[in-house]
């Protein structure tokens, strides 16, 4: 029985989180029968697309023992710079070229974070807080702040494509094609963390930085590569957001860091580093988006949505802190257990 409970619980509370998500869905379906429909499910999946890509990037940073709050700035800078440049040139290179241009910019911005953090051993939160303002200021100064209601033709046409689209009893239910990008990246990050040395090195860094260095992990190159990868993921999220919103607004995405970090922490990623899973992150994002959608359907003011997410973040961090203290107390108790004497050993 205990073994079954442990399997349901999961290594990072994934089972508990899945049960909470199911309970929220059941409760909302009872309170509002319109909630339990394909329209609502597809709406939650659509609203989870960009946060899911962001959450994957944040998961990698948290596993390595850091906190990154600059990813929205990297996302909007990369996507807006790429799209606005092509619009100003009057040239449509195609969606793949827009993605590649944005990814290149995101990689460069991520490298700035990585080099500063890895070379100078500075706190990740302080560095990314600083670079967030730096990137936004640089975008407004050198790229511009014009709102573009019309995207390049290739992006505009892609924005109208859905992988699923049908009429249900409660209206049109559709699933945007950009959901497939989030699914593909989720699978890729899961494979990277599970099956590559780079993924293992991230867990090692988060578990014990100095011990991982002594064990032979290349700490500085790993951290730089990590933030380059985070910048690339953020750039993809930025372009996906513009395609789904069908516009290029330089003021989008900024300020949504709390929702993403809360979802990753709720998914079982330890803020102390060294622990976290893609499955938990997916469940965390779906839970946050489901709660937001439920509160909106219930007519709750938008200000309370931020309060709800903040409360979830506090609860998630609190649970982690309590669990960490219990583990430390258990280890302390085992270490202090009396050792057998020579006489007892001989008998």
């Amino acid at each position: 029985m205990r073994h079954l409970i442990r399997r349901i619980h999961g290594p990072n509370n994934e089972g508990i989180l899945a049960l909470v998500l199911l309970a929220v869905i059941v409760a909302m379906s009872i309170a509002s029968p319109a909630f339990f429909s394909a329209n609502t499910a597809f709406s939650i999946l659509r609203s989870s697309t960009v946060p899911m890509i962001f959450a994957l990037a944040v998961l990698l940073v948290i596993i390595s023992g850091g906190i990154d709050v600059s990813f929205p700035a990297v996302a909007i800078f990369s996507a807006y710079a790429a799209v606005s440049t092509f619009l100003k040139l009057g040239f449509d290179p195609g969606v793949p070229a827009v993605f590649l241009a944005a990814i290149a910019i995101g990689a460069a911005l991520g490298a700035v974070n990585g080099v500063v953090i890895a070379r100078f051993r500075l706190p990740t939160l302080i560095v990314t807080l600083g670079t967030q303002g730096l990137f936004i200021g640089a975008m407004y100064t050198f790229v511009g702040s014009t709102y573009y209601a019309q995207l390049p033709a290739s992006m505009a046409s892609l924005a109208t494509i859905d992988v699923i689209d049908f009429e249900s009893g409660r209206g049109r239910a559709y699933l945007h094609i950009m959901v497939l990008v989030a699914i593909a990246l989720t699978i890729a990050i899961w494979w990277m963390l599970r099956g590559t040395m780079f993924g293992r090195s991230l867990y090692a860094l988060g578990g014990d930085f100095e011990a991982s260095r002594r064990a032979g992990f290349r700490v500085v190159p790993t951290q730089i590569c990590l933030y380059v990868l985070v910048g690339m993921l953020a750039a993809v999220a930025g372009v996906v957001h513009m395609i789904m919103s069908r516009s290029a607004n330089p003021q989008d995405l900024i300020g949504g860091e709390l929702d993403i970090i809360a979802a990753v922490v709720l998914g079982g990623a330890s803020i102390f580093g060294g622990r976290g899973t893609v499955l938990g992150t997916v469940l965390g994002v779906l839970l946050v988006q489901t709660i937001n959608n439920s509160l909106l359907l219930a007519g709750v003011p938008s200000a309370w949505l931020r309060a709800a997410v903040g409360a979830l973040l506090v609860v998630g961090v609190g649970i982690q802190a309590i669990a960490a203290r219990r583990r430390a107390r258990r280890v302390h108790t085992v270490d202090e257990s009396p050792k057998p004497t020579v006489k007892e050993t001989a008998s």
Side-chain angles (χ1 to χ4, degrees):
M1 183 64 178
R2 182 179 300 177
H3 179 68
L4 178 61
I5 295 175
R6 189 180 296 113
R7 289 190 62 183
I8 296 175
H9 188 276
N12 292 304
N13 300 324
E14 293 93 345
I16 302 299
L17 190 60
L19 292 176
V20 172
L21 177 59
L22 180 61
V24 171
I25 293 173
V26 171
M28 283 304 302
S29 299
I30 294 174
S32 175
F35 181 85
F36 192 75
S37 64
N39 304 62
T40 303
F42 287 175
S43 175
I44 292 173
L45 290 176
R46 289 196 307 273
S47 64
S48 300
T49 301
V50 174
M52 188 70 71
I53 302 173
F54 278 150
L56 293 173
V58 172
L59 172 66
L60 299 179
V61 176
I62 290 181
I63 286 176
S64 71
I67 294 289
D68 186 356
V69 295
S70 68
F71 60 90
V74 174
I76 197 63
F77 186 118
S78 306
Y80 183 76
V83 171
S84 64
T85 299
F86 291 126
L87 285 173
K88 290 175 183 177
L89 293 174
F91 172 60
D92 183 6
V95 174
V98 174
F99 269 108
L100 289 176
I103 289 171
I105 298 171
L109 299 179
V112 173
N113 281 337
V115 169
V116 173
I117 290 170
R119 291 294 183 184
F120 300 101
R121 302 287 295 274
L122 297 177
T124 57
L125 177 60
I126 302 302
V127 171
T128 55
L129 272 173
T131 55
Q132 180 187 55
L134 176 64
F135 295 155
I136 293 300
M139 179 183 67
Y140 288 153
T141 302
F142 299 107
V143 181
S145 57
T146 304
Y147 170 78
Y148 294 100
Q150 185 65 36
L151 296 175
S154 59
M155 296 179 67
S157 62
L158 186 62
T160 61
I161 299 177
D162 302 312
V163 290
I164 300 176
D165 189 351
F166 62 91
E167 290 293 333
S168 66
R170 294 187 173 93
R172 179 176 173 233
Y174 65 97
L175 196 59
H176 199 277
I177 192 172
M178 287 294 105
V179 173
L180 299 180
V181 175
I183 294 174
L185 288 175
T186 300
I187 295 172
I189 297 300
W190 172 82
W191 171 80
M192 186 198 73
L193 290 175
R194 297 264 304 192
T196 66
M197 184 56 68
F198 180 74
R200 296 188 186 97
S201 66
L202 295 183
Y203 283 105
L205 286 178
D208 193 318
F209 186 90
E210 187 60 27
S212 62
R213 186 185 65 80
R214 293 180 179 180
F217 288 100
R218 302 177 63 195
V219 173
V220 171
T222 298
Q223 281 191 307
I224 294 175
C225 290
L226 164 64
Y227 285 95
V228 169
L229 177 58
V230 168
M232 295 167 67
L233 288 171
V236 172
V239 177
V240 168
H241 168 77
M242 288 186 177
I243 291 174
M244 295 184 70
S245 64
R246 304 184 184 186
S247 62
N249 186 354
Q251 297 182 1
D252 280 352
L253 299 178
I254 305 299
E257 302 87 353
L258 179 64
D259 289 10
I260 307 303
I261 295 174
V264 176
V265 171
L266 284 172
S270 172
I271 58 171
F272 307 107
R275 195 174 79 244
T277 63
V278 170
L279 175 59
T281 297
V282 170
L283 292 172
V285 171
L286 292 177
L287 178 61
V288 170
Q289 295 300 319
T290 301
I291 290 175
N292 283 341
N293 191 286
S294 302
L295 294 177
L296 286 173
L297 286 177
V300 176
S302 59
W304 284 102
L305 299 180
R306 308 296 299 171
V309 173
L312 287 174
L313 180 58
V314 171
V315 170
V317 173
I319 292 174
Q320 289 187 9
I322 293 172
R325 279 201 298 268
R326 286 181 177 177
R327 285 194 298 268
R329 191 180 301 118
R330 192 179 302 118
V331 171
H332 185 67
T333 303
V334 171
D335 289 342
E336 288 188 345
S337 59
K339 296 181 180 180
T341 62
V342 176
K343 183 177 179 180
E344 288 174 341
T345 305
S347 62

